[in-house]
Amino acid sequence: MLKRRDLLQLAGSAAAFAAVTPVSPALAEGQAPQTAPFSHATVVELAKSLAAKSYSAPSADLPGAFSDLTREAFAAIKAKPDALIWNDKSSGFVIEPLHRGFVYTSPMQINLVENGAARRLNYNAADFDFGNLRLRAMPTNLDFSGFRVLQRNDQGELRELAVFQGASFFRSAAPGQKLGVTSRGLSIRTGDPRGEEFPLFRAVWIEKGSVADNALTISALLDSESVAGAYRFTIHPGDVTIIDVESSLFPRAPIDVFGLATMGATSLFSPLDRRGDDDVRDAAEEIGGLQMLTGRGEWIWRPVSNRSTLQISEFIDQNPKGFGFLQRHRAFSDFYDFDAHWELRPSLWIEPIGDWGDGSVELVEIPSDNETAQNIVAFWRSKTPLVKGQQADFAYRQFWCWTPPSRPAGAETAISRGGRAPAAKQRRFLVEFHGDGMGDPARVAAFNPNLSVNPGKVVAHRVTPAAERKSCYVQFDIDPAGEAACEIRLTLDFQGAPQTETWLYRWTL
């Protein structure tokens, strides 16, 4: 239940704007909480007002005990059970405030909305269990690093549904999954030589939902040096967790490189590229690749890899129909990892709402030797830049799932493997396509590999049907012709028409 001392006043949009600046006073002990009417339009007006002012970064200062925390010590800090919000079964959702510390130093203001009125949640150190951390004095006025959304199941147990924490990052999952892929509200200049800018959610407004609604609505105020924005997230739990994202952006300056529906994931090694690997596991990766459904209706599968140098790939498109990071390997034996359980990580599929125009899906692959770092990033980059002073609106739907709701009509890639070929300086690849259409041996025997390498050449290939598995294997060797990188494209065709998704890969030294 909410405590009276835990709340601050939000008196209209003017007061709400003041509340997200460092000058906001704390509510005095025992003072009656006050409320103000709230709607998402309030956040839009806040973002518009904020964008008209110079950017002022929130203070990320923390007492030394919290700024020097290890990952393990930070993870041990938990909100006490009686500090959980709406933990009285009056709502299907419970909110757990998250403490600041470790790398999560920026403050987030949390506001709670009930019956159309908003009240601010005030930080109170007594609401947290600090584990083995010994404090000389209890901290005050820290705000929060974010919050966790929990959902009560039919047995009354709480499961983790979503986490909003750090900059504009958030994560979710389907039932039975472990958190993995991370999404962002907005990315700016990701992979750009000018350096990346990380917008943050300065404040959120969480609307209490009823059990019957089975939906949770969260509004968020985004801010950074270049832009302010108003976001609305509507979370629909089920066998698939759906999050509808609506955003209104108000640029302070022109922005030519920005990412919509940005997602990040870990890929340390896989059978396709075991660079520098000496590991008992077969793979260590949250996702196997990036899937795209282009505006022209072509299904593309692009496996990802942990590269030796930064690699950026651009897939030009118009009005994309969908894209996302997918984990297609769902057996423990694909990984043999008793701790990470990569096979339980969610796939994240994005479907744009409305036309996004000309642009490209961009894939950034970053060298990494740390399996806790998300070194693979993808996003939609619009060809149209954001213009100072002009509002830009975008919307899309996220599916946090085991498999996406949209699937190719043809066969999908089940396995991608790579290694050295018998001939010197050549590379061998093995791709397995799987689908119902692969179960007819006579038909598969007529399939032709449509295979190209640029630069370089294909020096050998073979197609091996496996009707009992509803699969077909394509093994091929390439000669990079002395180049450090080459692009490979493969489909299996029947009478000139593709029977599989398009397999794309960039090989690099």
Side-chain angles (χ1 to χ4, degrees), residues 436-448:
D436 290 340
M438 298 295 166
D440 182 348
R443 188 167 185 270
V444 174
F447 287 178
N448 293 310

Side-chain angles (χ1 to χ4, degrees), residues 32 40 62 107 182 201 214 255 284 317 331 396 415 429 437 479 491 493 501 505:
H40 181 67
L62 282 172
T182 299
F201 289 137
N214 197 36
I255 305 174
D317 199 3
Y396 52 92
I415 291 175
F429 295 89
D479 182 352
T491 61
D493 293 358
E501 63 187 359
Y505 186 62

Side-chain angles (χ1 to χ4, degrees), residues 233-419:
F233 303 93
T234 306
I235 305 177
H236 306 272
D239 294 338
V240 172
T241 301
I242 296 174
I243 302 182
D244 290 325
V245 183
E246 304 165 75
S247 63
S248 297
L249 303 177
F250 299 90
R252 287 189 173 93
I255 305 174
D256 58 341
V257 180
F258 67 99
L260 299 175
T262 303
M263 60 192 79
T266 298
S267 178
L268 196 65
F269 62 89
S270 73
L272 182 59
D273 190 345
R274 303 180 66 88
R275 186 187 313 276
D277 165 54
D278 183 14
D279 200 297
V280 68
R281 299 170 296 179
D282 281 359
E285 57 179 2
E286 290 178 328
I287 59 165
L290 169 67
Q291 187 176 51
M292 292 165 277
L293 175 56
T294 70
R296 301 181 303 277
E298 181 183 12
W299 286 95
I300 295 173
W301 177 250
R302 168 58 157 83
V304 299
S305 288
N306 183 10
R307 307 291 184 164
S308 59
T309 60
L310 175 69
Q311 297 288 316
I312 300 176
S313 301
E314 184 179 68
F315 306 94
I316 297 173
D317 199 3
Q318 182 181 60
N319 295 325
K321 296 178 180 179
F323 64 95
F325 278 163
L326 306 191
Q327 175 58 281
R328 286 180 169 173
H329 301 293
R330 294 301 185 185
F332 173 78
S333 57
D334 291 326
F335 303 96
Y336 292 103
D337 194 319
F338 294 96
D339 299 313
H341 282 289
W342 306 100
E343 75 278 6
L344 301 180
R345 303 302 175 97
S347 293
L348 174 56
W349 177 252
I350 305 294
E351 289 186 354
I353 297 175
D355 291 340
W356 280 9
D358 293 331
S360 59
V361 175
E362 297 215 353
L363 175 66
V364 182
E365 296 167 297
I366 306 167
S368 176
D369 59 2
N370 180 1
E371 64 186 71
T372 66
Q374 295 192 320
N375 59 317
I376 311 296
V377 181
F379 53 88
W380 172 258
R381 177 180 174 180
S382 175
K383 187 177 180 180
T384 303
L386 297 177
V387 179
K388 178 181 178 180
Q390 292 186 10
Q391 178 177 340
D393 297 322
F394 301 96
Y396 52 92
R397 172 165 285 186
Q398 297 181 327
F399 296 85
W400 301 81
C401 55
W402 296 96
T403 57
S406 301
R407 305 282 296 274
E412 296 180 330
T413 305
I415 291 175
S416 301
R417 304 184 70 91

Side-chain angles (χ1 to χ4, degrees), residues 223-234:
D223 196 19
S224 75
E225 183 178 346
S226 300
V227 66
Y231 281 70
R232 178 160 54 192
F233 303 93
T234 306

Side-chain angles (χ1 to χ4, degrees), residues 91-93 149 151 161 207-218 233-237 242 244:
S91 168
F93 304 93
V149 179
Q151 185 191 24
L161 180 62
E207 301 182 35
K208 183 178 182 180
S210 69
V211 176
D213 290 339
N214 197 36
L216 183 71
T217 301
I218 301 164
F233 303 93
T234 306
I235 305 177
H236 306 272
I242 296 174
D244 290 325

